[in-house]
Amino acid sequence: MSASRRAVLGAALGGAAGAAVGLSAATSAHAASWQQKWAPTASGDGLGAFETVEDDRADSHPAGHPHIYATGNDWRFTMHTVDRDTSTDRQRQEVTGLRTGSSYLKWTQGQTWRLTYSMYIPSSLKATTTFTHIMQMKQPGNGTSPIVVQSLRRVNGVQTIELNLPVAGVLVGRTDLDPLHDRWTDVDFQIKVGNGTAGSVRWILKSGSTTVIDESRTGVDTFLADRVRPKWGIYRSLGDTSGSLQDTYLLLTDLRGYQLV
């Protein structure tokens, strides 16, 4: 990550903790602050940074292994058009969770968490008419519904990147994807884990020193049961009708996790 991108993220985290969405005045009065809980490096931790790794779960493309790996300071998620998930109408190369040594961080009701990282979306990773998710928040376990999804979606033929809360039925925000292709984009994401109307989120994308989007929602459902667990990678449907599916990849770097305490 360049020094300028580090400065941008550092400045964002250096702001008042009271800017966190859903933070009550009473909590803010007690000088709540973001405490770093997770700071892996691709070169040092590799895939050990994550709770689980879902690399070609169906073993559909052995010649392409590994699809997920560390390269220098980045984590790379490679997707080939021949790759298939266990449900053969879709593709999935993802990692889950925030591992710290022999354990992992658990996001539970009432907690507020923040993730910052940089992502490189090549022009070969296009928005589609069906789902293409590059980040999710879910309750662990098979068949659970996504709580948060950051997706690449075609809207009236235009490539966009958006953040949705499927359980709450809320579109948090959407912006053009084309200007973010073939460059590093900084992500700053906050979530207060809450059931019913007790949750909140904030989603910020920055390209260099330019804020591309900064959207928040409060009073939303961000919890199903047990806990919330982040996922990163490429998870996309094969039902696209725009001809946008091709061999591609996604790069992530400088992943950081913070808890508001």
Side-chain angles (χ1 to χ4, degrees):
M1 185 180 191
S2 69
S4 61
R5 291 210 308 279
R6 286 194 186 94
V8 169
L9 288 179
L13 285 169
V21 292
L23 182 62
S24 69
T27 303
S28 181
H30 287 85
S33 61
W34 294 109
Q35 291 193 4
Q36 184 173 284
K37 300 289 187 177
W38 185 61
T41 63
S43 59
D45 298 282
L47 297 183
F50 308 105
E51 185 179 337
T52 69
V53 178
E54 300 174 347
D55 186 330
D56 193 11
R57 301 188 305 176
D59 199 26
S60 66
H61 187 202
H65 288 185
H67 296 81
I68 306 172
Y69 56 92
T71 172
N73 294 321
D74 309 325
W75 287 275
R76 180 180 172 116
F77 302 80
T78 303
M79 184 68 76
H80 309 97
T81 56
V82 298
D83 298 346
R84 295 293 182 271
D85 193 21
T86 50
S87 297
T88 56
D89 64 340
R90 62 198 63 192
Q91 304 176 298
R92 183 197 305 269
Q93 311 292 2
E94 290 184 307
V95 296
T96 77
L98 286 63
R99 181 167 293 281
T100 56
S102 60
S103 188
Y104 50 84
L105 299 176
K106 296 182 180 180
W107 297 11
T108 57
Q109 275 200 85
Q111 294 180 339
T112 301
W113 289 87
R114 185 176 199 167
L115 294 170
T116 64
Y117 60 96
S118 293
M119 60 183 178
Y120 185 91
I121 304 175
S123 55
S124 58
L125 181 51
K126 302 181 186 305
T128 55
T129 56
T130 48
F131 68 83
T132 294
H133 303 322
I134 57 173
M135 183 273 283
Q136 300 187 74
M137 304 276 165
K138 298 186 73 175
Q139 171 194 339
N142 294 328
T144 58
S145 299
I147 299 166
V148 178
V149 288
Q150 182 177 250
S151 309
L152 311 181
R153 188 180 304 279
R154 283 187 181 268
V155 180
N156 298 323
V158 177
Q159 294 195 76
T160 72
I161 182 171
E162 65 181 28
L163 191 84
N164 257 294
L165 308 179
V167 172
V170 173
L171 173 66
V172 176
R174 176 185 288 150
T175 191
D176 286 351
L177 176 62
D178 279 338
L180 304 182
H181 270 143
D182 298 324
R183 65 186 62 197
W184 287 97
T185 300
D186 296 323
V187 182
D188 187 342
F189 174 78
Q190 301 173 29
I191 181 171
K192 181 179 180 182
V193 181
N195 201 26
T197 59
S200 60
V201 299
R202 185 179 183 187
W203 181 52
I204 306 170
L205 298 181
K206 292 189 175 184
S207 182
S209 60
T210 301
T211 299
V212 177
I213 192 167
D214 183 347
E215 293 287 348
S216 301
R217 293 293 184 274
T218 59
V220 293
D221 194 348
T222 59
F223 182 76
L224 288 174
D226 185 23
R227 60 187 172 105
V228 174
R229 182 172 67 180
K231 304 183 77 174
W232 292 273
I234 302 174
Y235 177 42
R236 65 184 184 182
S237 166
L238 294 170
D240 173 68
T241 59
S242 66
S244 297
L245 299 179
Q246 60 188 96
D247 290 352
T248 190
Y249 64 94
L250 172 72
L251 297 178
L252 301 180
T253 194
D254 287 315
L255 288 157
R256 299 289 183 268
Y258 304 83
Q259 185 178 8
L260 192 68
V261 294

